[in-house]
Amino acid sequence: MTNTNDSVFNRAMVHEVNEFDQLRRFLMLGSESSMYTAGKDKTLTVASAPKVSALLQKSGVSVVNELVEVSTSGRAAKQDPTLLVLAMAARSADVEVRKAAFDAIPKICRTPTMLFSFIDFYKAAGSTSGWGRLMRDAVSSWYNNKNLNDLVYQVTKYAQREGWSHRDVLRLSHPKPENDDRSKFYKWIVSKGEHKIDIDAVEDKRAFTRLLAVEAAKLAPDASSIVPLIREFNLVHEHIPTNLQKDPSVWEALLEGMPLTALIRNLGRMTAYGLLTDTSDATKRAVEKLTNKVAIEKARIHPFNVLVALNTYQKGHGNLGSLTWKPVSKISKALNELFYDSFMFVEPSNKRTCVALDVSGSMTWGDVNGSPGINPRLASAAMAMATIRTEPNVTVMGFSHQLVEVDLKKTDTLETVVKKIESVPMGSTMCSLPMVWAAQKKLAFDTFIIYTDNETNSDRMSPAQALREYRQKMGIPARLIVVALAGHGRTIADPNDPGMLDVSGFDSAAPSVIAEFSRGVI
């Protein structure tokens, strides 16, 4: 039993979390609890954020300023929590808070997808479905203040999202266009393209030429008609009619301006449609893009996400749909090279870190929740590699009923890391061992990161208690992250301890959450 003095000491070993720290946690985790859950949270509502609601009533304008800072800095792994809080602020009883929220819309809602999500949250957050003047003016400004050429691109690329269309939004917001060109475009949107554009009767010929190119692409009878439009007007996949989406020459044209992340996402499709082959020029261009270090640094793709893409590509089919392909060895090799190159651009936390990997046999069973096709053993190995290659002070341990150091090198391949993990004796899962061992050996760590499947503890001492005893013995406000890779919501963190985090499942955003928590940002 913990005595009063111990409790006081342990509180001193954890940074106090004020209301704005709690807000930032919600924005980055999507929860007011000490848990990050992989995948889209379909239950995210006002009821999910009672503490945020209370803070909005006290310091609403400051909350909105924090939303802008977190969103524009790219610190939040997912945007939905920010958009929910923005909608809550827009529904505030305080007119100054509402005004601040609506003024923040163009800074936070940078794409139509984000705007539509905000509108959806706004609808759910209020007792009435109607839009007041501030809402109408703010949404109108989103359209009116954008460069017309950029607006044409966004409206035609993101035509419908989250159950909303631009036609729906314009009919609710009633924007007053500043000139005849913009008026013509709004009429085109509301009429679903039925309002005809006379290019000789507009001033912004660049914007409307692009719009006419999009219209021509919809009606293109064959690939030879649409390929020049793709190249000249930088059309994207969303602009291509369904009947031409399997044509390899269309994808060859799309490949020329395709960003790295989009390329990775479409490699299977381009292979299935016959564009990427062992000898094609398109394969050569794709390989050049996948191995371009400048593009890799700009995209900031985490190695784990590359591993998921590589694994999917090599399987020859996705996790959804019926599309199949025969992997091209040059593409697989380039993805493998990208996996190792991407480690160079992972930002370290610069914390003294202990990574503990569950070595039980169940780590090879099934898939990671949130990353189909990757088993927990492979995922934990990739994350251990990311830590050992980027952090200046890290120790990696394998654990079951005992703890064994895993001698990983910065130069180890993924296959070597997996073999080293597999050499550790198996047994029951005891997640408290890393902290118990570190306390006994008097080893100084700022962060413990434990990777397991869904068995988070079979020991008499909980990981939370082991962390508290470690802090007390070492005098270090250490943090603990327990990642249940196949988890479905189980929690072991002390909800009153801001230095503990549960991660349930593992998706593309999880590495960022772990890094930000380790740095002490959340």
Side-chain angles (χ1 to χ4, degrees):
M1 181 175 179
T2 304
N3 62 39
T4 303
N5 289 336
D6 286 345
S7 297
V8 172
F9 182 85
N10 278 301
R11 285 199 298 272
M13 285 293 99
V14 182
H15 296 295
E16 291 295 325
V17 176
N18 63 37
E19 292 167 311
F20 279 88
D21 291 329
Q22 291 173 338
L23 169 64
R24 284 185 282 272
R25 282 192 161 214
F26 180 81
L27 300 180
M28 296 182 194
L29 300 179
S31 169
E32 290 192 343
S33 69
S34 297
M35 173 173 281
Y36 172 80
T37 303
K40 185 176 177 63
D41 186 357
K42 294 184 172 65
T43 65
L44 194 63
T45 64
V46 174
S48 309
K51 294 177 182 176
V52 173
S53 294
L55 182 58
L56 270 169
Q57 293 181 21
K58 290 173 54 180
S59 308
V61 173
S62 296
V63 168
V64 173
N65 291 338
E66 187 67 27
L67 297 182
V68 172
E69 196 283 325
V70 169
S71 179
T72 56
S73 66
R75 288 163 52 199
K78 300 176 183 178
Q79 292 299 321
D80 275 0
T82 297
L83 296 170
L84 169 63
V85 180
L86 182 64
M88 292 164 63
R91 289 286 193 180
S92 171
D94 186 327
V95 67
E96 291 301 317
V97 177
R98 292 203 305 275
K99 186 176 183 303
F102 289 125
D103 287 346
I105 286 176
K107 300 172 187 174
I108 295 176
C109 301
R110 295 178 293 278
T111 67
T113 301
M114 296 171 74
L115 177 67
F116 293 163
S117 291
F118 163 75
I119 292 171
D120 222 29
F121 282 127
Y122 179 81
K123 179 181 178 181
S127 57
T128 61
S129 59
W131 288 14
R133 181 182 58 80
L134 286 176
M135 178 66 169
R136 291 195 302 273
D137 288 350
V139 176
S140 295
S141 295
W142 190 93
Y143 288 91
N144 287 337
N145 294 338
K146 285 189 180 299
N147 171 277
L148 187 57
N149 188 52
D150 293 339
L151 184 62
V152 167
Y153 177 81
Q154 290 205 12
V155 165
T156 55
K157 179 180 179 180
Y158 306 99
Q160 295 186 31
R161 293 290 192 278
E162 306 297 330
W164 291 89
S165 71
H166 293 282
R167 180 175 183 264
D168 299 330
V169 175
L170 288 181
R171 294 177 74 180
L172 286 168
S173 58
H174 307 295
K176 296 178 180 178
E178 63 183 11
N179 56 46
D180 195 45
D181 277 3
R182 201 170 289 266
S183 177
K184 286 182 171 65
F185 182 50
Y186 292 168
K187 288 178 181 178
W188 179 89
I189 295 172
V190 173
S191 70
K192 297 183 178 180
E194 293 297 321
H195 180 75
K196 300 304 178 184
I197 302 297
D198 180 0
I199 195 68
D200 294 325
V202 298
E203 290 189 17
D204 194 338
K205 298 196 184 313
R206 179 167 174 254
F208 283 101
T209 301
R210 166 176 264 179
L211 180 61
L212 293 177
V214 171
E215 287 282 83
K218 290 180 183 177
L219 302 174
D222 50 40
S224 62
S225 302
I226 201 172
V227 164
L229 298 174
I230 294 172
R231 292 195 165 115
E232 183 175 356
F233 297 99
N234 194 28
L235 302 189
V236 293
H237 171 250
E238 289 84 354
H239 293 134
I240 310 303
T242 304
N243 63 306
L244 298 179
Q245 287 187 5
K246 294 183 180 181
D247 192 292
S249 65
V250 169
W251 282 97
E252 186 172 25
L254 291 171
L255 175 61
E256 293 177 11
M258 193 177 289
L260 183 58
T261 51
L263 170 60
I264 294 170
R265 189 169 58 248
N266 287 296
L267 286 171
R269 188 177 296 182
M270 289 189 286
T271 305
Y273 298 157
L275 176 63
L276 302 181
T277 67
D278 290 326
T279 59
S280 68
D281 289 339
T283 294
K284 181 180 178 181
R285 287 195 292 275
V287 168
E288 289 172 350
K289 284 174 173 279
L290 291 169
T291 54
N292 183 322
K293 289 183 174 56
V294 174
I296 296 169
E297 182 177 14
K298 181 180 179 181
R300 293 282 179 177
I301 303 171
H302 194 277
F304 177 80
N305 299 327
V306 180
L307 177 63
V308 173
L310 172 59
N311 185 72
T312 300
Y313 185 75
Q314 289 182 321
K315 284 193 307 181
H317 61 85
N319 298 300
L320 299 173
S322 58
L323 191 68
T324 61
W325 58 86
K326 182 180 179 181
V328 175
S329 60
K330 291 178 182 177
I331 297 296
S332 295
K333 183 179 178 181
L335 277 171
N336 190 65
E337 186 176 334
L338 172 60
F339 172 68
Y340 290 102
D341 284 344
S342 61
F343 286 105
M344 293 188 292
F345 307 111
V346 175
E347 185 180 353
S349 67
N350 293 313
K351 301 295 183 181
R352 298 168 295 185
T353 305
C354 176
V355 175
L357 309 174
D358 183 351
V359 299
S360 61
S362 60
M363 290 288 283
T364 62
W365 303 346
D367 291 348
V368 169
N369 183 24
S371 299
I374 301 290
N375 69 38
R377 172 66 48 77
L378 196 60
S380 64
M383 290 304 296
M385 284 181 68
T387 309
I388 203 73
R389 286 177 176 235
T390 58
E391 297 293 348
N393 191 335
V394 58
T395 301
V396 179
M397 308 296 292
F399 75 93
S400 53
H401 61 290
Q402 59 183 329
L403 203 67
V404 178
E405 184 167 2
V406 183
D407 183 24
L408 298 189
K409 303 287 194 303
K410 291 182 182 292
T411 55
D412 283 345
T413 64
L414 180 60
E415 292 75 15
T416 300
V417 172
V418 170
K419 287 180 181 178
K420 287 183 176 182
I421 295 170
E422 290 175 341
S423 69
V424 179
M426 297 183 191
S428 57
T429 305
M430 297 184 179
C431 291
S432 60
L433 284 181
M435 287 73 72
V436 173
W437 162 79
Q440 290 173 347
K441 298 291 185 180
K442 297 182 179 179
L443 300 173
F445 293 109
D446 301 303
T447 305
F448 293 89
I449 308 176
I450 296 173
Y451 292 96
T452 181
D453 47 13
N454 201 26
E455 296 295 325
T456 50
N457 195 53
S458 64
D459 199 4
R460 285 177 296 178
M461 179 185 293
S462 71
Q465 179 60 29
L467 179 68
R468 285 191 288 266
E469 294 190 5
Y470 174 81
R471 290 170 177 164
Q472 184 173 8
K473 183 169 184 177
M474 297 297 296
I476 299 172
R479 291 183 160 224
L480 170 64
I481 307 165
V482 179
V483 184
L485 293 158
H488 293 277
R490 180 182 297 181
T491 176
I492 64 170
D494 181 345
N496 298 314
D497 189 331
M500 299 185 195
L501 174 68
D502 288 308
V503 176
S504 180
F506 209 81
D507 59 9
S508 60
S512 172
V513 170
I514 291 171
E516 294 290 89
F517 185 82
S518 182
R519 292 187 193 104
V521 176
I522 56 176

